[in-house]
Amino acid sequence: QMQLVESGGGLVQAGGSLRLSCVVSGRTFSNYDMGWFRQAPGKEREFVAGSTWSGDNTDYADSVKGRFTISRDNAKSTVDLQMNSLKPEDTAVYYCAARHRVLTEYTNWGQGTQVTVSS
């Protein structure tokens, strides 16, 4: 069974940086596209960033382009999200997600890590 475990969340002031990490086990990591999503209180979960299985292609929500960077290490089965120039509106629970590269939907999720940005 695939397991995804996020870490790196916390409290940071506006303008600061955080790096989230997700460690994946139980499946061949390089067969999976990986994504980061977030859910703020009272809002629906939204896509933040994604990486194809090879890492050659990445995608970002417009709200984080130029500030966040997704990266993966297939040898270590990890995917990171570097978040710079954080804003209070980035406050949310951040989730790591995986989808097999032949699928279109994310099917495996981590438990989430809280990111709080103070103004």
Side-chain angles (χ1 to χ4, degrees):
Q1 185 172 356
M2 193 179 207
Q3 290 189 319
L4 297 80
V5 179
E6 302 99 334
S7 62
L11 173 64
V12 64
Q13 288 188 332
S17 298
L18 280 176
R19 188 176 184 90
L20 306 183
S21 293
C22 175
V23 180
V24 177
S25 61
R27 289 290 185 270
T28 302
F29 183 68
S30 58
N31 284 339
Y32 288 81
D33 299 333
M34 297 299 299
W36 285 95
F37 291 74
R38 67 187 181 187
Q39 187 167 20
K43 295 186 177 182
E44 294 188 353
R45 186 167 56 193
E46 64 175 357
F47 171 80
V48 175
S51 170
T52 55
W53 62 273
S54 64
D56 287 345
N57 292 293
T58 57
D59 190 21
Y60 298 91
D62 288 344
S63 59
V64 307
K65 280 182 182 177
R67 300 188 298 123
F68 290 11
T69 302
I70 187 171
S71 61
R72 65 187 292 160
D73 186 334
N74 284 354
K76 296 181 179 179
S77 298
T78 59
V79 58
D80 292 348
L81 184 68
Q82 177 66 42
M83 306 185 294
N84 298 327
S85 301
L86 282 161
K87 304 175 182 180
E89 51 264 45
D90 294 318
T91 294
V93 177
Y94 282 71
Y95 298 91
C96 175
R99 71 177 181 207
H100 194 277
R101 56 183 174 172
V102 302
L103 301 179
T104 58
E105 299 292 329
Y106 287 89
T107 56
N108 300 83
W109 297 83
Q111 82 288 351
T113 185
Q114 176 70 47
V115 171
T116 303
V117 184
S118 63
S119 57

